[in-house]
Amino acid sequence: QVQLQESGPGLVKPSGTLSLTCAVSGGSISSNNWWSWARQPPGKGLQWIGEIYHSGSTDYNPSLKSRVTISVDKSKNQFSLKLTSVTAADTAVYYCARVGYCSSTSCSGDGFDIWGQGTMVTVSS
Amino acid sequence: QSVLTQPPSASGTPGQRVTISCSGSSSNIGGNTVNWYRQLPGTAPQLLIYSTIRRPSGVPDRFSGSKSGTSASLAISGLQSEDEADYYCAAWDDRLNGHHYVFGTGTKVTVL
């Protein structure tokens, strides 16, 4: 059973860089899936940040594209998020997720079937 | 900024049927499949419906999805107390500025 676990600092200073890592266990990041980041400000809805394939191909939310970099480390079976020039508006619970619904035999669809538990990041001095 | 619009709230009594709408455009719902998520307080979202109408293993058949044009719906029949949660629709959006994922504004379901 694939599991995802986010890790990284819970507090980032304004104008600094938010860096998070999502460790994939129970499966390979080189499987035929894309891997995404999403976030949820306190009391608000979900926002997609971007996705990456094990080849390194990426897609980003146009509203965040200038500040976001998502990368993959196949040797460590993990992928990472960097968000630069953060402000209080970037305070949120950050989730990583697998794209695609996978049964024991195959994957299909484009929903996010497995999510990490989420990690709260606060931007404050 | 969500581009998929949902009603902020919906409610029903146990056993009733509740429907949640999700309105989008030709670049998202109109041209791609729709996914639905349920989020209980303090937990990560859970995939409820994928590919517009399909249920992941373990999701009761009380939950069903549909789509017509640029709108989609999630129906919950036989409403139960444990269905009280936030529900989000989502779809991939293909525009000139790329391929990206959009979530709905979210609907809070209350069981009366």
Side-chain angles (χ1 to χ4, degrees), chain A residues 98-112:
Chain A
R98 183 177 74 176
V99 182
Y101 171 66
C102 297
S103 65
S104 58
T105 54
S106 64
C107 294
S108 63
D110 54 19
F112 299 177

Side-chain angles (χ1 to χ4, degrees), chain A residues 8-103:
Chain A
L11 181 65
V12 181
K13 287 184 171 21
S15 77
T17 296
L18 180 159
S19 297
L20 296 174
T21 294
C22 181
V24 180
S25 60
S28 173
I29 200 166
S30 296
S31 62
N32 191 26
N33 293 97
W34 287 72
W35 306 88
S36 266
W37 286 97
R39 68 181 183 178
Q40 186 171 36
K44 296 188 178 181
L46 296 161
Q47 182 184 36
W48 180 74
I49 298 171
E51 64 171 352
I52 191 164
Y53 196 65
H54 59 77
S55 64
S57 295
T58 53
D59 293 301
Y60 296 128
N61 185 321
S63 69
L64 299 170
K65 190 173 183 177
S66 64
R67 299 193 293 130
V68 173
T69 301
I70 298 176
S71 59
V72 64
D73 187 334
K74 290 186 283 187
S75 67
K76 294 183 179 179
N77 215 36
Q78 64 186 33
F79 61 108
S80 299
L81 167 70
K82 286 192 189 300
L83 181 66
T84 61
S85 304
V86 296
T87 69
D90 295 310
T91 294
V93 175
Y94 284 76
Y95 296 101
C96 58
R98 183 177 74 176
V99 182
Y101 171 66
C102 297
S103 65

Side-chain angles (χ1 to χ4, degrees), chain A residues 40 44-48 51 59-60 62-63 95 99 101 108-113 115-116, chain B residues 1-2 33 35 37 39 43-47 50-51 56-57 88 92 97 99-101 103:
Chain A
Q40 186 171 36
K44 296 188 178 181
L46 296 161
Q47 182 184 36
W48 180 74
E51 64 171 352
D59 293 301
Y60 296 128
S63 69
Y95 296 101
V99 182
Y101 171 66
S108 63
D110 54 19
F112 299 177
D113 73 333
W115 296 67
Chain B
Q1 62 291 9
S2 300
T33 60
N35 306 302
Y37 300 89
Q39 186 177 33
T43 68
Q46 171 200 8
L47 184 64
Y50 71 99
S51 297
S57 174
Y88 294 91
W92 287 94
N97 60 358
H99 173 74
H100 50 278
Y101 202 61
F103 288 98

Side-chain angles (χ1 to χ4, degrees), chain B residues 64-103:
Chain B
S64 62
S66 63
K67 184 178 89 167
S68 178
T70 59
S71 293
S73 294
L74 173 72
I76 309 172
S77 59
L79 194 66
Q80 300 181 3
S81 58
E82 56 260 39
D83 297 332
E84 192 159 285
D86 293 324
Y87 292 80
Y88 294 91
C89 61
W92 287 94
D93 190 300
D94 295 305
R95 301 181 189 226
L96 289 176
N97 60 358
H99 173 74
H100 50 278
Y101 202 61
V102 290
F103 288 98

